[in-house]
Amino acid sequence: DIQMTQSPSSLSASAGDRVTITCRASQSIGSYLNWYQQKPGEAPKLLIYGASSLQSGVPSRFSGGGSGTDFTLTISSLQPEDFATYYCQQGYSTLGFTFGGGTKVEIK
Amino acid sequence: QITLKESGPTLVKPTQALTLTCTFSGFSLTTTGEAVGWIRQPPGKALEWLAVIFWDGEKRHSPSLKSRLTITKDTSKNQVVLTMTNMDPLDTATYFCARRRGWGSWFDYWGQGTPVTVSS
């Protein structure tokens, strides 16, 4: 199995802050990395696919980067509606489309 | 418009089997490249991928749960069914179905999720 490790597990930030979340794969997955946002009581929402492609309708303040084993999700200017939990997911191995453990972004 | 909706029991007893149905619209599992997957989330915990079924009938299962999972499709009804045997209280979770897309296997449309509690 490919393991996905996110860091930090939680962070506190203020509106307007630049926030970066990291996701590390246990082996190289190329650009097969996707990011989701989940708010309490809701289904996850796709933000970024293929490491850096923005899903239609997602604000441009969200961006993704990286390849191989190390990836980032950056929110350039945190908005009140961005307080949520973020998950990475690898799509490289069909043995298991593993998710990361999540990063909770809280209001400072 | 693409929608997915999960249905099934909210309560199952330990050792029983769970059968969940995902009914979808706006796409067809007869179209090349389409696939539907199941993901679950225990209360307060992270997402866990369970299984996926492709347009051509190919299936993939979580290695850790493979022996307990069966995924099937009924293209005439636009449904995907997940069966999990020998349920345990640790299987208590919200179960989501989602459409899987692309070379990078992302999940672009999700159902609202259905909560399942395993308790005697």
Side-chain angles (χ1 to χ4, degrees):
Chain A
D1 286 17
I2 299 176
Q3 307 303 317
M4 307 300 295
T5 303
Q6 285 183 237
S7 60
S9 56
S10 66
L11 65 90
S12 296
S14 302
D17 285 352
R18 181 182 181 88
V19 168
T20 297
I21 297 167
T22 297
C23 179
R24 175 165 290 176
S26 60
Q27 67 182 73
S28 179
I29 59 171
S31 296
Y32 291 68
L33 192 282
N34 311 307
W35 290 98
Y36 302 84
Q37 176 194 66
Q38 187 181 31
K39 297 179 179 179
E42 297 184 3
K45 172 187 173 183
L46 178 67
L47 298 176
I48 302 284
Y49 62 92
S52 60
S53 295
L54 195 66
Q55 173 68 349
S56 176
V58 174
S60 59
R61 63 181 179 272
F62 291 92
S63 63
S67 66
T69 60
D70 295 313
F71 301 87
T72 57
L73 173 70
T74 298
I75 309 171
S76 60
S77 178
L78 200 63
Q79 299 301 301
E81 60 268 29
D82 300 336
F83 292 96
T85 301
Y86 294 84
Y87 293 94
C88 62
Q89 174 245 326
Q90 63 85 11
Y92 178 80
S93 170
T94 55
L95 292 177
F97 297 129
T98 332
F99 287 87
T103 296
K104 187 174 184 179
V105 177
E106 299 176 301
I107 300 172
K108 194 171 188 178
Chain B
Q1 181 188 5
I2 291 174
T3 64
L4 302 96
K5 188 172 184 179
E6 307 86 353
S7 59
T10 57
L11 179 66
V12 296
K13 296 185 186 312
T15 76
Q16 286 187 338
L18 169 70
T19 298
L20 296 173
T21 300
C22 175
T23 303
F24 57 88
S25 63
F27 67 99
S28 174
L29 262 181
T30 62
T31 301
T32 298
E34 295 288 1
V36 171
W38 286 93
I39 300 101
R40 71 178 179 180
Q41 185 172 39
K45 296 191 176 182
L47 300 167
E48 178 184 18
W49 174 77
L50 300 177
V52 67
I53 189 165
F54 294 82
W55 82 99
D56 60 358
E58 189 171 351
K59 307 169 186 180
R60 295 286 185 265
H61 305 82
S62 166
S64 62
L65 294 167
K66 185 175 183 178
S67 64
R68 298 174 54 205
L69 293 175
T70 303
I71 188 169
T72 60
K73 61 183 174 76
D74 185 333
T75 54
S76 66
K77 294 182 179 178
N78 280 350
Q79 291 181 333
V80 171
V81 175
L82 181 76
T83 300
M84 182 180 293
T85 60
N86 194 23
M87 293 291 285
D88 181 272
L90 291 175
D91 296 313
T92 294
T94 295
Y95 287 74
F96 298 96
C97 64
R99 187 181 79 158
R100 170 265 178 205
R101 287 288 284 173
W103 50 267
S105 289
W106 52 87
F107 295 98
D108 60 349
Y109 288 90
W110 294 64
Q112 63 191 20
T114 187
V116 177
T117 299
V118 184
S119 174
S120 55

